[in-house]
């Protein structure tokens, strides 16, 4: 497949990935899925899966919360994986490239959201007041395609077409010690992703389970699959005990209610 057709295929893929937001969140827009699909498009599924999973670790805590938007995981995931495949530089380069690409497109997306999307919103409000549900739904779809889907497709397609040969040439000029530094930095980024995620979800009630999993892996050398099985069993035991406690509590409450009725 020529570079032009690869760029077009990646653009089409990028246009489809935001559709994940129309159906709730099926996570197809996340790097772990987008990377695999990018590898499939470029004919290297194995590398796409490995690189996508690595980028996902770095972006694991990057989720939209209210008006706070993280760097764009779609553009970063697709281009980071694509350039890692065509240049053969691996996951270290992919993560290093994914972050600036994602941050750059975040700026573009914010501008489009502030300047273009309100046009569709105002038209949608007008149709809502008229009770025209069909045209209201069209405004939602047109706004999504115009602001969220097509711009990403053009950005990724053009960046890949222009950047592939140039990036390969530049990487060949980079000294080995610089590339080693990039790989070391890439090893830190997944830890940062986990830290961002833990900052949001780690509470007093669940911290003990995190410590337990860490101890099992670090000191007892239990593999991740074994820890997952252990966690599933632990969840079942906890839920089973809670159900039993609830049943006993309900029975005691029923007994108290009946005794109160007998007194009257």
């Amino acid at each position: 497949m020529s570079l032009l057709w690869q760029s077009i295929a990646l653009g089409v893929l990028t246009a489809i990935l935001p559709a994940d937001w129309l159906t709730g969140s099926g996570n197809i827009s996340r790097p772990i899925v987008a990377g695999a699909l990018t590898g499939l498009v470029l004919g290297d599924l194995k590398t796409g899966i490995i690189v996508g999973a690595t980028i996902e670790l770095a972006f694991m805590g990057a989720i939209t919360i209210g008006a706070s938007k993280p760097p764009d995981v779609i553009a970063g995931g697709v281009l980071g994986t694509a350039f890692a495949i065509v240049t053969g530089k691996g996951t270290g380069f992919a993560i290093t490239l994914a972050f600036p690409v994602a941050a750059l497109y975040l700026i573009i997306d914010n501008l489009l959201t502030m300047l273009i999307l309100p046009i569709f919103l105002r038209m949608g409000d007008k149709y809502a007041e008229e009770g025209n549900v069909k045209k209201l739904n069209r405004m939602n779809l047109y706004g999504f395609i115009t602001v969220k889907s097509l711009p990403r497709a053009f950005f990724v397609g053009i960046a890949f077409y222009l950047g592939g040969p140039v990036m390969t040439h530049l990487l060949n000029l980079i000294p080995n010690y610089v590339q080693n530094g990039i790989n070391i930095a890439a090893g830190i980024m997944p830890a940062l992703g986990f830290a961002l995620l833990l900052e949001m979800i780690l509470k007093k009630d669940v911290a003990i389970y995190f410590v337990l999993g860490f101890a099992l892996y670090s000191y007892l050398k239990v593999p991740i699959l074994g820890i997952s099985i252990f966690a599933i069993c632990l969840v079942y035991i906890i839920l089973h005990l809670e159900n039993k406690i609830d049943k006993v509590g309900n029975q005691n409450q029923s007994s108290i209610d009946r005794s109160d009725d007998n007194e009257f």
Side-chain angles (χ1 to χ4, degrees):
M1 188 185 295
S2 66
L3 177 61
L4 176 60
W5 284 109
Q6 286 180 336
S7 302
I8 294 174
L10 288 177
V12 172
L13 172 63
T14 307
I16 295 172
L17 291 177
D20 183 25
W21 306 329
L22 293 176
T23 57
S25 182
N27 289 327
I28 65 170
S29 60
R30 300 296 303 181
I32 192 171
V33 179
L37 295 176
T38 301
L40 188 62
V41 168
L42 297 179
D44 192 349
L45 179 60
K46 179 181 178 181
T47 303
I49 293 173
I50 294 173
V51 175
T54 306
I55 295 177
E56 178 66 35
L57 289 176
F59 279 98
M60 186 171 290
I63 59 175
T64 301
I65 303 176
S68 175
K69 297 180 65 176
D72 190 73
V73 294
I74 296 179
V78 172
L79 281 177
T81 304
F83 281 129
I85 291 174
V86 298
T87 60
K89 294 298 180 178
T91 57
F93 171 70
I95 295 178
T96 306
L97 180 66
F99 269 89
V101 167
L104 173 60
Y105 191 79
L106 174 63
I107 298 173
I108 298 174
D109 184 57
N110 283 336
L111 290 174
L112 292 171
T113 301
M114 291 187 296
L115 299 178
I116 306 299
L117 192 59
I119 298 174
F120 295 95
L121 295 177
R122 285 193 293 269
M123 296 175 67
D125 289 339
K126 175 186 175 183
Y127 292 132
E129 292 175 357
E130 296 174 356
N132 194 331
V133 178
K134 185 177 293 186
K135 289 187 177 181
L136 173 61
N137 291 334
R138 286 178 183 173
M139 289 304 102
N140 289 330
L141 182 60
Y142 294 163
F144 169 79
I145 294 174
T146 304
V147 176
K148 300 298 179 181
S149 182
L150 290 182
R152 277 185 175 83
F154 285 119
F155 176 82
V156 169
I158 294 173
F160 182 76
Y161 182 77
L162 297 178
V166 175
M167 194 64 66
T168 302
H169 177 68
L170 290 176
L171 284 173
N172 291 331
L173 298 177
I174 298 176
N176 288 331
Y177 69 87
V178 175
Q179 295 192 34
N180 292 335
I182 291 175
N183 290 329
I184 293 173
I188 299 175
M189 297 311 296
L192 177 61
F194 273 114
L196 291 172
L197 181 66
L198 289 174
E199 185 180 12
M200 293 182 290
I201 68 173
L202 194 59
K203 308 297 180 183
K204 292 182 180 179
D205 295 338
V206 298
I208 186 62
Y209 302 110
F210 173 77
V211 175
L212 178 61
F214 176 79
L216 288 173
Y217 181 81
S218 300
Y219 298 102
L220 300 181
K221 307 302 179 184
V222 179
I224 297 298
L225 180 60
I227 295 175
S228 300
I229 295 173
F230 181 79
I232 292 172
C233 295
L234 186 61
V235 169
Y236 176 80
I237 293 172
I238 293 174
L239 293 177
H240 185 66
L241 289 176
E242 287 183 350
N243 290 333
K244 278 194 170 184
I245 293 173
D246 291 339
K247 287 181 180 179
V248 172
N250 292 333
Q251 291 175 355
N252 293 336
Q253 185 63 41
S254 299
S255 301
I256 293 173
D257 292 340
R258 285 196 298 271
S259 63
D260 291 339
D261 292 338
N262 293 332
E263 289 180 2
F264 288 106

